[in-house]
Amino acid sequence: MNNKNDYDNDLELIKESYDRGIVDYGKKDALSYDNLPGYITNDPDYPKYKIELEIGYEGSKNKGIKDYLSPTKDMKFIDLGCCLNLMFYGYDNWQSLYYGVDISPETIKLLERTISKRDLSIGALFCGSIHETPFDDNFFDIGACIGVLEYFEKEFVEKALAEIHRIIKPNGKFVLDIPNIKSPTGRIMMLIEEYMGRPDKFNMLSQEFEDVLQKYFEIKEKGKNSADTMSVVYFLKCKK
């Protein structure tokens, strides 16, 4: 069983990795998805990973996220593990009021500079973990958590789901994903994340995850071909 110190260690690794990625961006010796070591690029499953990355995997830029959430100007949207979605994936053009949570202080600083430069109006940014947020119960109408749960084992994942459930309104819509640990391309993704200094520790098969998930959310839809892809996307409605 994990304890708080385990969580703190995991969160610190993730924070340091993403901080380093922003500070070192563009440097010759920076860790990069474009300059991976041979033990990864020579793996027989790496070409499958590259193909899926180019034509299948969409992450936070998945158009289905916005289509499902249907953001309107009277909605509050929470982006958990927000990274730079506001900068690169069009979240700044959504009508809903944007709130972001990320563990990386450097990420938050960069977002704050971007918001100021573009003169954007948002709700708030919070530097911290997705399993302990400062928001009131039933605060958000819609939300997403993409590419985040992969870094944690079952006990933390359950805490994160409980926190998401707490801050989303009854019948609120939410989208999240998990890595497919049985997929060859999912295995490559986990190798890459470990190389980047933030090991994927997710240890749940899809059915086990869904058994936990359905305590809090109704699964409205799953991403297509989820048995073969590197991640499984869930389109949810909050049960309360």
Side-chain angles (χ1 to χ4, degrees), residues 104-185:
S104 162
E106 293 296 332
T107 296
I108 295 297
K109 289 177 186 176
L110 180 54
L111 287 176
E112 288 173 340
R113 292 196 295 270
T114 300
I115 289 164
S116 177
K117 184 177 180 179
R118 296 185 186 177
D119 195 25
L120 300 176
S121 177
I122 71 162
L125 297 175
F126 172 69
C127 186
S129 172
I130 65 168
H131 81 296
E132 293 177 341
T133 72
F135 307 110
D136 292 338
D137 294 355
N138 306 321
F139 190 73
F140 295 102
D141 302 277
I142 54 176
C145 180
I146 303 296
V148 179
L149 295 180
E150 65 195 75
Y151 300 121
F152 302 103
E153 296 178 354
K154 180 178 179 180
E155 188 173 339
F156 183 94
V157 169
E158 290 199 41
K159 289 181 181 295
L161 291 176
E163 177 68 357
I164 294 167
H165 179 263
R166 182 186 71 79
I167 62 177
I168 297 292
K169 293 179 179 178
N171 298 315
K173 294 181 178 180
F174 200 85
V175 181
L176 58 75
D177 70 349
I178 60 170
N180 185 352
I181 62 177
K182 287 294 187 179
S183 163
T185 54

Side-chain angles (χ1 to χ4, degrees), residues 53-112:
L53 199 65
E54 291 169 3
I55 67 173
Y57 179 74
E58 298 177 292
S60 293
K61 65 182 178 180
N62 183 345
K63 184 177 180 291
I65 296 174
K66 183 178 181 182
D67 289 345
Y68 177 71
L69 296 179
S70 302
T72 60
K73 63 182 180 181
D74 60 332
M75 290 181 175
K76 298 188 194 74
F77 166 66
I78 181 63
D79 190 8
L80 293 170
C82 60
C83 199
L84 301 178
N85 297 334
L86 191 69
M87 295 172 58
F88 296 128
Y89 299 135
Y91 287 34
D92 56 326
N93 294 320
W94 289 20
Q95 290 185 322
S96 51
L97 189 61
Y98 182 93
Y99 291 75
V101 173
D102 201 275
I103 196 65
S104 162
E106 293 296 332
T107 296
I108 295 297
K109 289 177 186 176
L110 180 54
L111 287 176
E112 288 173 340

